[in-house]
Amino acid sequence: MKVFGATLAFLGLASAASVASPVSYDGWKVYRVKVGDNAAKFSEVVSSLQLETWKGKVGSSAVVDVMVPPSSVSEFEKSADDLNAELMHDDLGLSIADETLFSVYAAGVAPNTTWFNSYHALDDHVQWIKDLAAAYPGNAETFVVGKTTEGRDINGIHIWGSGGKGSQKGVVWHGTVHAREWITTMIVEYAAFQLLTSKDAKTAAFKDKYDFYIIPIVNPDGFAFSQTTDRMWRKNRQTTPTASCVGRDINRNWPNHWDQRGGASTSPCAQDYKGTAATDGTETKVLKAHLDSVAAATGVHLYMDIHSYSQLWMYPYGYTCSGTLPAAAKYQSLTEGSIAAVKAVHGTDFTGGPICSTIYQVSGSSVDYAYENAKVTYSMTVELRDTGRYGFVLPPDQIVPAAEEMWAGLSYLVENM
């Protein structure tokens, strides 16, 4: 499924009605800019060319990855040397074409490792998680968190051990909050697969100690849109009464320091738009209700929000760079151990620390809400591989190694927390 058609709405500026044909990224380039002393000039270039960033914040981040359409490449490259810009994708359209060659999924067959050889369409993901649960009825069942803006189910899988379902403290894992982060879907599904298929005693002990509530795609509307219309779509697909722009950033919409400036955008056209009110996002509302219900019933020992990319392992706080967790030493120890476990698999280096100081300030996030409001014992987030060479368009041949290393990190965390 190659994405092609009119170049439209790359900044999320178009209304839902105006997006009639798929966005083409043929000829688009992605650059890494080491900003240094050129912050003012870089900000001017991004503004004048109306460029979208992949990673980093213009004006505050030392390194920013930026996407440039064909019509602006010549103008951007005039400043490339001064901006210390490195080419990451020479033709983003070609990278997407290689990534979106989906394999055919045979529904009803017990899931196996071949699933992780490629990316998949939304409907296949829904069926796969149902087939996985059906293959292990004594330890798993699917559940629906709620409906999306466009009426899709948000599907999860509940996994438990010998004590029976709902008998242990909860572990909650979310994937694909941001629609274009396809690798996160696969990693969360790989974790569910390992919990149910692994024969080692350590993994069995995980299930006996915790109930796992795993939601591979918390933003199915955005995910579907990224597959059919705009591969680089990030937000959900909810309209805003006061603007033609579509979508909220689900990870800026939780009721925790929601209205704090600097951690999210007030513009409906921005990629990190926080919404018109805390929890006004359709998906945020039902995800919060589910997390709260598990917390009220058994308590949640671990919440994790899985993202890509940058190779980071992080914990609260996101909304402030000055606050320190009471259990900061324990969080840091677990983070260092998880990072070491990840590196031991394929040599991949992660960086760890508080969200705000490790990546950037984030307000209205699920991780801070889980820790401060839902009283989760450990609340964390990761940014998966890589560090920018492929970015959001990670080749299919990296799915398995990315999943293997992240499972090692998650296993260390669950075993030692």
Side-chain angles (χ1 to χ4, degrees):
M1 183 186 76
K2 184 178 179 181
V3 178
F4 61 97
T7 301
L8 182 65
F10 73 94
L11 285 174
L13 302 179
S15 68
S18 68
V19 183
S21 57
V23 178
S24 171
Y25 288 97
D26 292 346
W28 287 60
K29 299 182 186 296
V30 180
Y31 296 86
R32 165 155 293 177
V33 178
K34 297 178 181 177
V35 179
D37 296 328
N38 295 313
K41 181 174 183 179
F42 179 56
S43 296
E44 180 183 345
V45 169
V46 170
S47 177
S48 64
L49 299 181
Q50 293 187 296
L51 303 181
E52 179 187 352
T53 59
W54 273 17
K55 170 188 174 181
K57 286 189 176 182
V58 177
S60 59
S61 296
V63 176
V64 179
D65 295 347
V66 63
M67 189 168 62
V68 183
S71 60
S72 299
V73 167
S74 177
E75 188 67 25
F76 182 85
E77 289 187 340
K78 289 179 182 178
S79 304
D81 288 340
D82 291 342
L83 293 176
N84 194 9
E86 174 188 358
L87 183 64
M88 311 299 279
H89 283 275
D90 184 51
D91 189 329
L92 182 56
L94 291 177
S95 300
I96 291 172
D98 291 339
E99 178 201 40
T100 53
L101 296 173
F102 298 161
S103 62
V104 176
Y105 177 62
V109 176
N112 56 61
T113 56
T114 61
W115 173 256
F116 302 100
N117 292 336
S118 71
Y119 295 103
H120 304 275
L122 173 61
D123 287 348
D124 284 351
H125 282 288
V126 172
Q127 187 60 50
W128 185 87
I129 206 77
K130 292 179 179 177
D131 289 345
L132 181 63
Y136 299 91
N139 293 101
E141 66 181 11
T142 58
F143 63 93
V144 175
V145 175
K147 296 285 188 180
T148 66
T149 297
E150 296 178 343
R152 292 182 175 89
D153 288 339
I154 302 175
N155 294 279
I157 183 169
H158 179 191
I159 298 172
W160 62 86
S162 58
K165 64 180 179 181
S167 61
Q168 306 292 338
K169 271 199 169 186
V171 169
V172 179
W173 289 337
H174 287 177
T176 331
V177 172
H178 295 143
R180 61 192 177 188
E181 297 171 10
W182 290 6
I183 186 61
T184 69
T185 317
M186 306 302 296
I187 267 56
V188 175
E189 289 173 346
Y190 187 87
F193 182 80
Q194 289 299 316
L195 284 168
L196 288 171
T197 64
S198 178
K199 304 300 182 184
D200 67 79
K202 182 173 73 172
T203 304
F206 293 165
K207 296 196 295 287
D208 290 341
K209 191 172 184 180
Y210 300 107
D211 274 53
F212 291 82
Y213 302 86
I214 300 173
I215 309 171
I217 305 173
V218 303
N219 181 13
D221 288 353
F223 184 68
F225 194 76
S226 76
Q227 293 192 324
T228 62
T229 307
D230 185 350
R231 176 63 186 88
M232 292 297 109
W233 190 261
R234 169 183 166 103
K235 300 184 285 184
N236 72 358
R237 294 294 300 161
Q238 190 171 348
T239 58
T240 300
T242 58
S244 61
C245 302
V246 175
R248 284 151 178 70
D249 184 340
I250 297 172
N251 200 38
R252 302 295 187 276
N253 190 239
W254 290 70
N256 180 280
H257 298 271
W258 172 81
D259 60 350
Q260 181 170 309
R261 296 297 180 264
S265 177
T266 59
S267 169
C269 299
Q271 292 283 19
D272 60 346
Y273 175 50
K274 66 179 184 175
T276 59
T279 330
D280 76 330
T282 309
E283 294 79 9
T284 315
K285 191 185 304 294
V286 296
L287 292 166
K288 172 188 172 298
H290 177 257
L291 179 63
D292 288 345
S293 69
V294 177
T298 61
V300 176
H301 203 57
L302 172 66
Y303 169 77
M304 288 203 72
D305 192 17
I306 312 296
H307 289 266
S308 73
Y309 60 96
S310 287
Q311 295 174 195
L312 305 174
W313 199 295
M314 300 176 290
Y315 50 87
Y317 300 104
Y319 69 86
T320 177
C321 290
S322 59
T324 302
L325 292 176
K330 178 63 173 177
Y331 266 90
Q332 185 62 26
S333 175
L334 288 170
T335 296
E336 291 172 357
S338 299
I339 288 173
V342 168
K343 184 170 184 176
V345 180
H346 295 294
T348 307
D349 288 308
F350 273 58
T351 300
I355 296 167
C356 186
S357 58
T358 303
I359 186 167
Y360 43 63
Q361 187 181 19
V362 177
S363 57
S365 77
S366 61
V367 173
D368 283 348
Y369 176 87
Y371 177 74
E372 289 196 327
N373 300 80
K375 305 304 179 184
V376 171
T377 310
Y378 296 107
S379 184
M380 294 185 169
T381 184
V382 296
E383 296 278 353
L384 303 170
R385 65 161 69 186
D386 61 3
T387 57
R389 168 62 185 87
Y390 296 104
F392 299 121
V393 191
L394 196 68
D397 61 9
Q398 291 200 35
I399 295 172
V400 171
E404 290 172 340
E405 66 194 16
M406 187 48 54
W407 175 243
L410 292 173
S411 296
Y412 176 89
L413 182 58
V414 174
E415 184 179 15
N416 291 280
M417 65 186 183

